Amino acid sequence: MKAYITHLSRLSIVTLTMLLLMGLPAVAQRGSARTRINTSRLMEIKNVDVIYISPAMLQSVPKASLKIDGADAMSGIMDGITSIHIYTSSDRKAIQELRRTFAPITELRNADLEQLMYVKNEDGVVNLIGQLQGDNASELYMIVTGDDEYTVINFSGSFSRRQLEKAVTQDNSRRHKR
């Protein structure tokens, strides 16, 4: 009987270990699903301009001055912003570094990223990509690519899917009226 219990205990431990190990990739995948970008090294790259606007600075700026083209839908998004980071360059080598750094975002590598808007015209390309968790975005990335310039504007905050859809729909309808 004792040998049976020992064998059963070993079998249980082996089974439990196998189940845990099989579950690790799923847990690791879920945990790593949130896209992270290491922008700290951009501070050291020559010819990359980095601008940070803190929550305190945003609170001191009148909300009316943050509205884009006076659009009510965009003001809802602007109200949700807690901080802004801007990374820009017109230097070819620095642009390559910016592209490499933000490749996980622009290539939509993870399930938490969604392209919200894409506009291409003679001046360049503008992408708006949201980092979504359910129906809320915690990060918005506006990536502006021109012939000789590359800019990424990272809006951190809390944005509902409804606010985002309203802003994108309003922006597209305004664009078609012109």
Side-chain angles (χ1 to χ4, degrees), residues 104-128:
I105 302 296
T106 58
E107 296 170 2
L108 305 171
R109 289 186 186 167
N110 291 332
D112 66 331
L113 298 169
E114 183 177 321
Q115 185 160 332
L116 302 171
M117 184 175 70
Y118 178 93
V119 177
K120 180 189 178 294
N121 61 25
E122 65 274 357
D123 297 326
V125 179
V126 176
N127 281 301
L128 181 62

Side-chain angles (χ1 to χ4, degrees), residues 10-177:
R10 273 190 241 141
L11 186 59
S12 296
I13 290 171
V14 169
T15 305
L16 181 62
T17 304
M18 291 302 288
L19 288 172
L20 288 173
L21 288 175
M22 286 177 15
L24 278 179
V27 171
Q29 189 175 16
R30 256 184 267 131
S32 68
R34 182 144 163 78
T35 305
R36 298 266 186 224
I37 302 295
N38 181 6
T39 57
S40 60
R41 62 184 201 77
L42 293 176
M43 297 291 284
E44 300 166 7
I45 296 176
K46 186 178 179 180
N47 296 321
V48 172
D49 296 329
V50 179
I51 301 164
Y52 170 68
I53 303 171
S54 71
M57 187 69 160
L58 283 170
Q59 287 177 353
S60 69
V61 176
K63 293 291 181 186
S65 66
L66 292 176
K67 290 185 181 175
I68 299 171
D69 294 335
D72 292 335
M74 288 305 291
S75 67
I77 289 177
M78 298 310 271
D79 288 340
I81 295 172
T82 56
S83 67
I84 301 173
H85 283 88
I86 303 170
Y87 308 92
T88 188
S89 185
S90 56
D91 178 76
R92 195 180 79 232
K93 286 185 179 183
I95 289 172
Q96 289 174 343
E97 285 299 316
L98 283 169
R99 286 182 192 273
R100 198 169 306 138
T101 300
F102 289 98
I105 302 296
T106 58
E107 296 170 2
L108 305 171
R109 289 186 186 167
N110 291 332
D112 66 331
L113 298 169
E114 183 177 321
Q115 185 160 332
L116 302 171
M117 184 175 70
Y118 178 93
V119 177
K120 180 189 178 294
N121 61 25
E122 65 274 357
D123 297 326
V125 179
V126 176
N127 281 301
L128 181 62
I129 298 171
Q131 187 168 29
L132 293 142
Q133 297 166 334
D135 283 340
N136 292 310
S138 57
E139 305 283 337
L140 295 176
Y141 294 90
M142 182 175 285
I143 299 150
V144 182
T145 307
D147 290 335
D148 57 353
E149 191 168 5
Y150 192 84
T151 301
V152 177
I153 305 171
N154 172 219
F155 301 98
S156 295
S158 180
F159 317 97
S160 71
R161 183 175 289 279
R162 185 175 171 190
Q163 286 173 315
L164 296 172
E165 288 171 353
K166 186 176 177 185
V168 170
T169 304
Q170 187 176 34
D171 183 66
N172 284 336
S173 65
R174 193 171 349 122
R175 199 176 307 280
H176 292 297
K177 288 180 184 177

